[in-house]
Amino acid sequence: MITKISSGRVISKRKTQNLNVYLEDGKIVKITNENLPCDVEYCANGNYVSAGFIDIHTHGAADYDFLDNDEEGFLRIARAHAEHGAGSIVP
């Protein structure tokens, strides 16, 4: 399935451009100003579009701490970070 994110300000090489982002199976496959066929389209309405960020220092989130050594807590921490744009975290 091809997903298109349109009308967004794509962050690339220290500048922003109005481009379309195409994803397949959750991975970016093309960034272009072309209008290509897609299965699903999301309009970014001029908001920024970027790959997920990496939080390189975290102790936890959502009222959970990695020091608690609780698997459910770890999952809730990961979900909380993902909801705020982190694609990866380093506890």
Side-chain angles (χ1 to χ4, degrees), residues 6-73:
S6 62
S7 300
R9 296 168 60 191
V10 177
I11 300 171
S12 65
K13 297 183 183 176
R14 299 182 187 208
K15 60 183 177 178
T16 63
Q17 302 177 53
N18 292 322
L19 298 170
N20 298 317
V21 178
Y22 292 87
L23 302 105
E24 186 170 7
D25 298 324
K27 295 183 181 178
I28 296 172
V29 292
K30 189 158 194 157
I31 301 173
T32 180
N33 59 2
E34 299 175 64
N35 285 310
L36 304 173
C38 62
D39 301 302
V40 178
E41 181 174 349
Y42 296 100
C43 181
N45 293 317
N47 290 307
Y48 290 105
V49 177
S50 74
F53 293 99
I54 301 171
D55 186 337
I56 62 168
H57 182 109
T58 181
H59 294 271
D63 294 326
Y64 290 89
D65 192 303
F66 281 109
L67 293 176
D68 295 336
N69 199 22
D70 171 34
E71 185 175 340
E72 178 61 28

